[in-house]
């Protein structure tokens, strides 16, 4: 039985449990995977290398050649030159890469402009539900707007403190850590906001429309 005297002790125990659970939640937030899910998605293996995968055309763009157009279902279309892009608020994010060819690479440090900031600038219309990325090599890939709006998504110009190399998509690539890496367009040229979904390069060729690694949305 619980006597009157025990009540403060129970109160303390409860406080401690709450504290512990709060700490778990904080640790969970520090993981780059989805909370409550394993960090390494099913069917993936870890690599320390960073493989190069693309269609074999690696555009050779100088920063002066590069620009980003954002249009479609937005209130404020924009076109950013390299200097415009660098004049936006800059963020640093650390995230994991999961490629559909089964390699994953942990703890990549990226610098660039957050998707959240871009969204605040262009103001998608209420009808906008999908985003298409277009690249300088002709590549395209589509994602739901909600995936692009995630707080770990950015347009990256640097990796591990160095300008993103040409082979990895420099001057600027997309990084969407919670989807397979084919969704992270290299050599980014344009972003189109759409009311209706539309498949990109790999999505037209048998790959999944959304590409969530934790539910193995590989082919679709
Ligand atoms: N522009 C462009 N972006 C692209 C691709 C591409 O061919 N062209 N390939 C995609 C695929 S399939 C993968 S796995 C990753 C590979 O990025 P990495 O070469 O930096 O590892 O880029 C994605 N983004
Ligand atoms: Mo890929």
């Amino acid at each position: 039985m619980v006597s009157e005297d025990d009540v403060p002790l129970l109160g303390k125990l409860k406080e401690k449990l709450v504290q512990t659970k709060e700490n778990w939640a904080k640790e969970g937030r520090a993981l780059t995977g989805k909370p409550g899910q394993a960090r390494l998605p099913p069917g993936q293996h870890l690599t320390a290398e960073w493989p190069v995968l693309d269609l074999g055309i690696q555009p050779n763009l100088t920063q002066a050649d590069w620009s980003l157009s954002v249009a479609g279902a937005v209130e404020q279309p924009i076109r950013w030159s390299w200097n415009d892009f660098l004049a936006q608020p800059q963020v640093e994010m650390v995230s994991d890469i999961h490629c559909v060819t089964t390699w994953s690479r942990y703890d990549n440090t990226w610098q660039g402009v957050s998707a959240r900031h871009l969204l605040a600038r262009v103001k998608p219309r209420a009808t906008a539900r999908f985003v298409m990325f277009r690249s300088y090599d002709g590549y395209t890939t589509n994602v739901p707007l909600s995936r692009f709006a995630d707080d770990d998504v950015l347009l990256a110009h640097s990796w591990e403190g160095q300008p993103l190399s040409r082979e990895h998509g420099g001057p600027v690539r997309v990084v969407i850590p919670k989807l397979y890496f084919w969704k992270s367009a290299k050599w980014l040229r344009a972003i189109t906001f759409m009311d209706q979904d539309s498949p990109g390069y790999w999505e037209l060729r048998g790959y999944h429309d959304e590409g969530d690694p934790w539910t193995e949305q590989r082919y679709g």
Side-chain angles (χ1 to χ4, degrees):
M1 257 184 72
V2 178
S3 74
E4 292 274 287
D5 292 351
D6 292 333
V7 170
L9 180 60
L10 282 176
K12 275 217 177 86
L13 280 173
K14 209 176 155 193
E15 239 173 63
K16 217 180 159 193
L17 277 173
V18 169
Q19 189 62 55
T20 303
K21 291 189 89 173
E22 276 182 9
N23 288 340
W24 286 346
K26 273 186 206 137
E27 284 163 21
R29 283 180 56 178
L31 295 174
T32 58
K34 281 188 178 178
Q37 281 175 316
R39 185 173 180 182
L40 190 66
Q44 298 292 113
H45 68 270
L46 266 185
T47 174
E49 303 303 305
W50 186 9
V52 173
L53 284 105
D54 50 52
L55 305 176
I57 307 150
Q58 299 184 337
N60 197 3
L61 295 158
T62 66
Q63 293 167 348
D65 295 333
W66 181 86
S67 73
L68 173 66
S69 297
V70 187
V74 295
E75 304 291 344
Q76 304 280 340
I78 54 173
R79 186 174 173 277
W80 282 338
S81 68
W82 176 253
N83 286 337
D84 297 333
F85 183 70
L86 285 194
Q88 307 304 313
Q90 300 290 308
V91 294
E92 182 172 292
M93 298 187 190
V94 179
S95 59
D96 300 344
I97 297 171
H98 306 297
C99 177
V100 72
T101 61
T102 76
W103 58 269
S104 291
R105 191 181 188 285
Y106 285 168
D107 293 326
N108 299 273
T109 301
W110 309 99
Q111 289 165 317
V113 173
S114 71
R116 289 274 168 97
H117 171 72
L118 180 118
L119 290 168
R121 284 292 308 275
V122 303
K123 299 185 178 67
R125 296 210 188 101
T127 54
R129 285 174 53 233
F130 297 91
V131 169
M132 182 73 84
F133 302 110
R134 297 170 200 283
S135 299
Y136 282 93
D137 61 341
Y139 186 78
T140 54
T141 188
N142 58 306
V143 296
L145 175 52
S146 59
R147 292 295 200 165
F148 182 55
D150 220 339
D151 62 7
D152 55 3
V153 176
L154 81 161
L155 311 182
H157 58 65
S158 293
W159 177 80
E160 305 299 328
Q162 299 297 321
L164 199 55
S165 65
R166 173 183 172 187
E167 58 182 4
H168 286 301
V172 174
R173 79 174 299 157
V174 179
V175 177
I176 305 182
K178 293 199 199 75
L179 295 178
Y180 283 123
F181 210 34
W182 89 75
K183 296 290 189 178
S184 293
K186 309 201 274 191
W187 312 292
L188 181 64
R189 180 163 96 156
I191 306 176
T192 308
F193 287 74
M194 311 181 294
D195 296 353
Q196 305 294 327
D197 198 8
S198 172
Y201 184 88
W202 286 120
E203 294 81 11
L204 277 169
R205 289 165 175 80
Y207 283 81
H208 197 279
D209 194 59
E210 186 151 350
D212 176 351
W214 285 274
T215 53
E216 286 200 76
Q217 294 178 334
R218 297 176 189 274
Y219 316 107

